[in-house]
């Protein structure tokens, strides 16, 4: 039943009578050891033996029978210990709690006791006594009122010692002890979200440069990922340190990672107007082009039908003046070499593995190839092309025009390469070739017009946002050969501007009779026609043709200042033709588009790509082998 008889087991010395206690003396009235006994709520009584009374001559009353008390069972002790542990945990989580460790113990000791159990006096028990228990710390309200600060500290130490003794007893064998946590003397300071502070990172050397990743990435890369960035982590209330930032930098490339919800939700072939998650929308455009400008390389070259190709095209396609390669390469060829596939392989070999051929078309000996960075092919629409023949009599289509159009994000592009009628005085025939081209070139076909209200059915160049027209226009200089040679020999730098005063195309464009709405960058290079093959000298044959700017690149934009010309020059090192290649570098503004534009779905010429890369590797291996042989070779002399 959980009841036990509280009989004095022996002469136990007590420190003195406590509140509510009784002093029992052995027979004879000798000042023997006192045994502490208590009853619930009793004030206590003094029981004396047959000897003389302590305070007078009246004999003491006979001793009472031992009182029965209800002892606490093991389950109750465990329950009360668990209750005190929960109370201490709640005090830790309370932000307004300011009590000390002694106060928490005092509050735990003042919890209401189990009904019907005895309340032993904590001051009458030795700390290491076998009868002490963790429940002995619970005192009556009377004891609380009489206790002082020193008593509370002493009581806390007695409770801890008694609890440690019980942990070593058999009653707790096999159970896992749980101690209550101690509260600090003052409130804890608020925790900052960014625990990777500058001081912490500097002290622990978590990062060598201990710089903020977002600030660092903005200055180095120019843009920050908007899908998985530090600001997003802060917005979600996540606490992170610099180690997690380093892991993000090592896991992801400079390309912005794609969120899983975008892959689940959005369509990559059709959709609504530009919004969050649109493949061609503003958010995706800003990830790749924060300033919304792309670099485009446009080149034209009359190859004169030569079978021999240049040994190296690096100086042509990759000039050393710009620091970086362009995002798009468009090369138009007139009177191209007989093996068109070989020419395209050479282009792929020169541009390397970072570029793929988006599209290629031909009209007789007119070739055009469009190369684009490999990671940008997903944002291109289907590619369309059309051709126009301006010389019907000829069996081989050497004169005419070839146009290729597509949409990149929300900006439509049209590239036209042409070969107009030759002859010094045939200016009107060349203007007729131009008019026939803009009327007969049927583009676009399936790709929707980005701005149909500003389009014209009689001019193909008005149906696109950005138009680049390049080729051998065959416009000459209205001056004799001797005068042109004298101007070029006197001052090559200032002589160019003097020659342009006699240029037929510049004169016709200023009148508005050809290339209406088009512009041309400033020309600062020597005439690209006509050279002796393999030499830097102009025509030395009996015809003595006048050097002229026949190879040109002009451009037109539907919106003002969308196209900015960065460089306009020729490539004098390529001498396999009587024409020098002419190229121009542009910075073009791109706008976001719709997802309902029919996309090319990453299509490119994979076979050409593999052949070009294999040749590039083979060439590099051969060059290394040659350099190694040259270093290991030696010259032997025989005496």
């Amino acid at each position: 039943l959980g009841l036990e008889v509280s009989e004095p087991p022996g002469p136990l010395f007590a420190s003195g009578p406590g509140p509510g206690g009784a002093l029992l003396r052995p027979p004879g009235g000798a000042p023997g050891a006192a045994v502490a006994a208590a009853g619930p709520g009793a004030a206590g009584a003094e029981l004396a033996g047959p000897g003389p009374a302590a305070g007078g001559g009246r004999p003491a009353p006979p001793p009472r029978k031992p009182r029965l008390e209800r002892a606490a069972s093991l389950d109750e002790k465990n329950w009360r210990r668990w209750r005190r542990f929960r109370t201490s945990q709640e005090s830790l989580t309370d932000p307004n709690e300011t009590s000390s460790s002694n106060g928490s113990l005092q509050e735990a000791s003042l919890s209401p006791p189990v009904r019907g159990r005895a309340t032993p006096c904590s001051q009458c028990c030795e700390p290491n006594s076998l009868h002490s228990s963790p429940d002995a710390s619970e005192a009556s309200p009377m004891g609380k009122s009489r206790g002082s600060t020193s008593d509370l500290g002493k009581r806390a130490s007695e409770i801890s010692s008694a609890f440690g003794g019980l942990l070593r007893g058999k009653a707790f064998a096999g159970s896992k002890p749980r101690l209550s946590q101690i509260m600090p003397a003052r409130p804890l300071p608020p925790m900052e979200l960014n625990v990777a502070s500058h001081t912490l990172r500097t002290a622990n050397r978590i990062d060598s440069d201990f710089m903020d990743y977002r600030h660092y990435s903005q200055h180095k890369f120019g843009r920050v990922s908007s899908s998985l960035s530090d600001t997003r982590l802060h917005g979600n209330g996540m606490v992170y340190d610099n180690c997690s930032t380093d892991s993000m930098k090592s896991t992801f490339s400079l390309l912005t990672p794609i969120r899983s919800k975008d892959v689940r939700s959005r369509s990559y072939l059709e959709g609504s107007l530009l919004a969050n998650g649109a493949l061609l929308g503003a958010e995706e455009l800003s990830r790749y082009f924060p300033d919304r400008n792309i670099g485009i390389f446009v080149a034209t070259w009359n190859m004169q039908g030569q079978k021999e190709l240049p040994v190296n095209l690096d100086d042509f396609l990759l000039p050393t003046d710009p620091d970086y390669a362009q995002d798009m390469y468009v090369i138009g060829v007139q009177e191209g070499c007989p093996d068109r596939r070989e020419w395209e392989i050479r282009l792929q070999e020169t541009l390397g593995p970072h570029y793929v051929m988006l599209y290629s078309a031909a009209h007789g000996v007119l070739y055009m190839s469009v190369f684009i960075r490999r990671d940008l092919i997903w944002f291109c629409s289907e590619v369309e092309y059309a051709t126009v023949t301006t010389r019907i009599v000829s069996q081989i289509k050497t004169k005419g025009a070839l146009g290729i159009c597509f949409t990149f994000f929300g900006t439509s592009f049209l590239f036209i390469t042409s070969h107009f009628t030759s002859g010094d005085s045939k200016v009107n025939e060349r203007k007729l070739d131009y008019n026939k081209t803009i009327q007969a070139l049927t583009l676009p076909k399936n790709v929707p017009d980005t701005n149909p209200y500003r389009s014209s059915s009689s001019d193909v160049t008005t149906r696109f946002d950005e138009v680049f027209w390049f080729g051998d226009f065959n416009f000459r200089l209205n001056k004799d050969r001797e005068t042109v040679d004298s101007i070029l020999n006197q001052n090559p730098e200032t002589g160019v501007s003097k020659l342009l005063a006699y240029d037929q195309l510049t004169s016709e464009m200023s009148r508005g009779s050809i290339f209406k709405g088009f512009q041309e960058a400033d020309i600062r290079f020597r005439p690209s026609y006509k050279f002796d093959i393999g030499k830097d000298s102009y025509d030395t044959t009996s015809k003595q043709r006048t050097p002229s700017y026949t190879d040109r690149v002009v451009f037109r934009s539907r919106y003002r200042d969308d196209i900015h010309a960065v460089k306009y020059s020729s490539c004098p090192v390529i001498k396999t033709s009587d024409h020098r290649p002419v190229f121009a570098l542009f910075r073009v503004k791109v706008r976001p588009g719709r997802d309902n534009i029919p996309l090319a779905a990453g299509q490119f010429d994979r076979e050409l790509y593999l052949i070009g890369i294999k040749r590039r590797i083979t060439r590099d291996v051969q060059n290394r082998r040659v350099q190694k042989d040259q270093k290991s070779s030696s010259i032997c002399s025989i005496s």
Side-chain angles (χ1 to χ4, degrees):
L1 296 179
L3 300 178
E4 63 182 8
V5 179
S6 179
E7 293 183 356
L12 298 179
F13 293 94
S15 60
L23 183 62
L24 302 182
R25 294 181 178 178
V35 180
E46 186 177 3
L47 303 181
R58 188 177 56 182
R64 292 185 299 179
K65 294 181 180 181
R67 183 180 298 274
L68 298 179
E69 64 177 0
R70 183 179 183 275
S73 63
L74 183 60
D75 295 337
E76 292 179 357
K77 294 178 182 179
N78 292 335
W79 179 86
R80 298 199 66 82
R81 186 173 66 258
W82 174 84
R83 183 63 180 173
R84 285 195 303 275
F85 175 74
R86 294 294 299 174
T87 305
S88 62
Q89 290 295 98
E90 292 175 359
S91 65
L92 283 177
T93 57
D94 187 4
N96 299 324
E97 183 67 34
T98 59
S99 61
S100 62
S101 59
N102 293 337
S104 62
L105 290 173
Q106 181 181 2
E107 291 177 3
S109 65
L110 293 178
S111 57
V114 181
R115 182 178 180 182
R117 62 172 297 181
T119 306
C121 177
S122 61
Q123 296 183 359
C124 301
C125 302
E126 288 291 335
N128 297 327
S129 173
L130 296 176
H131 289 274
S132 62
S133 67
D135 298 322
S137 62
E138 299 182 2
S140 63
M142 183 183 301
K144 177 183 177 183
S145 61
R146 294 183 181 180
S148 61
T149 307
S150 59
D151 294 336
L152 292 176
K154 183 177 180 180
R155 188 175 301 172
S157 61
E158 291 174 357
I159 291 172
S160 60
S161 301
F163 188 63
L166 285 176
L167 290 179
R168 293 187 294 270
K170 297 182 179 180
F172 290 86
S175 63
K176 184 177 180 180
R178 293 180 296 179
L179 299 178
S180 61
Q181 301 186 16
I182 300 176
M183 287 296 297
R186 58 179 59 88
L188 293 174
M191 181 179 291
E192 298 180 359
L193 285 179
N194 186 10
V195 298
S197 61
H198 183 273
T199 306
L200 181 61
R201 281 180 286 181
T202 307
N204 297 290
R205 297 295 180 182
I206 296 177
D207 194 358
S208 58
D209 53 0
F210 43 88
M211 298 172 61
D212 186 71
Y213 173 57
R214 188 173 190 274
H215 176 76
Y216 173 76
S217 57
Q218 280 182 343
H219 283 272
K220 183 175 182 180
F221 306 130
R223 57 181 181 266
V224 185
S225 167
S226 60
S227 64
L228 187 56
S229 62
D230 297 345
T231 56
R232 186 174 298 273
L233 294 178
H234 278 295
N236 295 336
M238 297 177 61
V239 179
Y240 71 102
D241 55 6
N242 200 63
C243 298
S244 62
T245 305
D246 291 338
S247 65
M248 285 197 301
K249 288 191 291 185
S250 61
T251 303
F252 301 107
S253 64
L254 292 180
L255 297 178
T256 305
I258 302 175
R259 294 186 295 263
S260 301
K261 64 178 183 179
D262 293 340
V263 180
R264 287 172 175 263
S265 60
R266 73 187 185 189
S267 172
Y268 288 88
L269 293 179
E270 59 183 5
S272 59
L273 191 64
L274 47 113
N276 292 334
L279 182 62
L280 305 181
E283 182 180 1
E284 198 76 12
L285 176 60
S286 299
R287 292 183 181 183
Y288 287 87
F289 303 99
D291 56 353
R292 297 192 176 184
N293 286 325
I294 66 171
I296 299 181
F297 175 95
V298 178
T300 177
W301 185 27
N302 188 325
M303 302 179 69
Q304 204 187 10
Q306 298 290 334
K307 295 182 179 180
E308 180 185 358
L309 293 176
V311 177
N312 195 340
L313 296 176
D314 291 343
D315 295 330
F316 175 34
L317 300 177
L318 303 170
T320 56
D321 294 344
D323 295 333
Y324 302 98
Q326 307 305 307
D327 299 306
M328 194 180 303
Y329 284 81
V330 184
I331 302 98
V333 171
Q334 307 83 39
E335 298 183 15
C337 62
D339 193 349
R340 170 191 161 200
R341 190 64 174 177
E342 179 64 24
W343 165 247
E344 294 172 353
I345 293 174
R346 294 294 300 276
L347 294 176
Q348 179 69 77
E349 178 184 354
T350 303
L351 293 177
H354 297 288
Y355 296 87
V356 296
M357 191 171 74
L358 178 66
Y359 201 77
S360 172
H363 179 61
V365 289
L366 285 174
Y367 307 153
M368 187 189 298
S369 304
V370 179
F371 288 82
I372 192 171
R373 276 184 55 179
R374 191 175 56 185
D375 49 347
L376 300 177
I377 58 176
W378 309 103
F379 310 106
C380 295
S381 70
E382 294 179 353
V383 185
E384 301 172 340
Y385 85 101
T387 60
V388 174
T389 301
T390 57
R391 182 183 292 181
I392 305 177
V393 180
S394 176
Q395 295 291 333
I396 302 177
K397 299 175 183 179
T398 57
K399 300 296 188 292
L402 167 64
I404 292 180
C405 70
F406 59 91
T407 299
F408 183 72
F409 278 97
T411 302
S412 56
F413 288 88
L414 173 63
F415 299 94
I416 304 176
T417 181
S418 298
H419 194 183
F420 292 162
T421 302
S422 61
D424 294 344
S425 60
K426 294 183 179 181
V427 177
N428 293 330
E429 285 80 353
R430 289 189 274 273
K431 290 192 291 185
L432 290 175
D433 293 342
Y434 164 79
N435 291 326
K436 185 177 181 180
T437 300
I438 62 175
Q439 295 174 7
L441 207 59
T442 56
L443 290 173
K445 300 176 183 179
N446 298 324
V447 178
D449 193 344
T450 55
N451 196 342
Y453 300 102
R454 303 182 63 176
S455 301
S456 174
S457 58
S458 60
D459 189 352
V460 67
T461 61
T462 62
R463 305 172 204 155
F464 298 88
D465 296 327
E466 321 296 343
V467 181
F468 297 90
W469 200 327
F470 46 99
D472 184 1
F473 298 154
N474 264 320
F475 284 96
R476 311 298 174 91
L477 296 177
N478 290 327
K479 209 65 177 176
D480 57 276
R481 172 67 184 271
E482 291 77 10
T483 305
V484 173
D485 287 342
S486 62
I487 294 175
L488 291 174
N489 294 331
Q490 288 177 1
N491 195 341
E493 297 180 358
T494 60
V496 172
S497 58
K498 294 181 180 180
L499 289 177
L500 292 177
Y502 310 106
D503 182 58
Q504 295 176 352
L505 180 59
T506 304
S507 177
E508 295 297 330
M509 287 182 66
S510 61
R511 296 175 186 175
S513 60
I514 192 174
F515 291 114
K516 297 178 182 180
F518 282 83
Q519 305 177 50
E520 185 179 17
D522 296 336
I523 297 178
R524 293 187 175 89
F525 54 92
R526 295 168 65 87
S528 59
Y529 173 86
K530 173 181 179 90
F531 287 89
D532 294 332
I533 296 178
K535 300 179 181 179
D536 291 328
S537 59
Y538 288 100
D539 187 17
T540 57
T541 61
S542 57
K543 294 185 179 181
Q544 291 287 311
R545 293 185 177 88
T546 304
S548 302
Y549 294 96
T550 59
D551 308 281
R552 313 288 276 270
V553 179
V554 295
F555 56 92
R556 172 180 178 173
S557 178
R558 181 179 281 175
Y559 306 96
R560 185 178 180 180
D561 298 332
D562 269 10
I563 301 178
H564 174 69
V566 179
K567 186 178 179 60
Y568 191 28
S569 182
S570 64
C571 185
V573 297
I574 296 181
K575 307 174 183 179
T576 57
S577 171
D578 57 351
H579 290 255
R580 295 291 185 261
V582 175
F583 65 91
L585 304 180
F586 298 99
R587 190 171 69 246
V588 184
K589 186 176 182 180
V590 179
R591 291 175 171 80
R594 298 167 175 256
D595 273 351
N596 57 2
I597 297 175
L599 299 179
Q603 187 177 7
F604 67 97
D605 195 330
R606 182 177 180 273
E607 181 182 359
L608 177 76
Y609 180 83
L610 293 177
I611 296 176
I613 301 306
K614 288 179 181 179
R615 285 195 181 184
R616 186 184 180 96
I617 296 175
T618 304
R619 183 189 63 184
D620 293 342
V621 171
Q622 292 178 352
N623 292 336
R624 293 176 185 176
R625 187 175 301 172
V626 171
Q627 294 177 0
K628 183 178 180 181
D629 294 342
Q630 290 178 353
K631 292 180 180 179
S632 60
S633 61
S634 59
I635 301 176
C636 301
S637 58
I638 302 176
S639 57

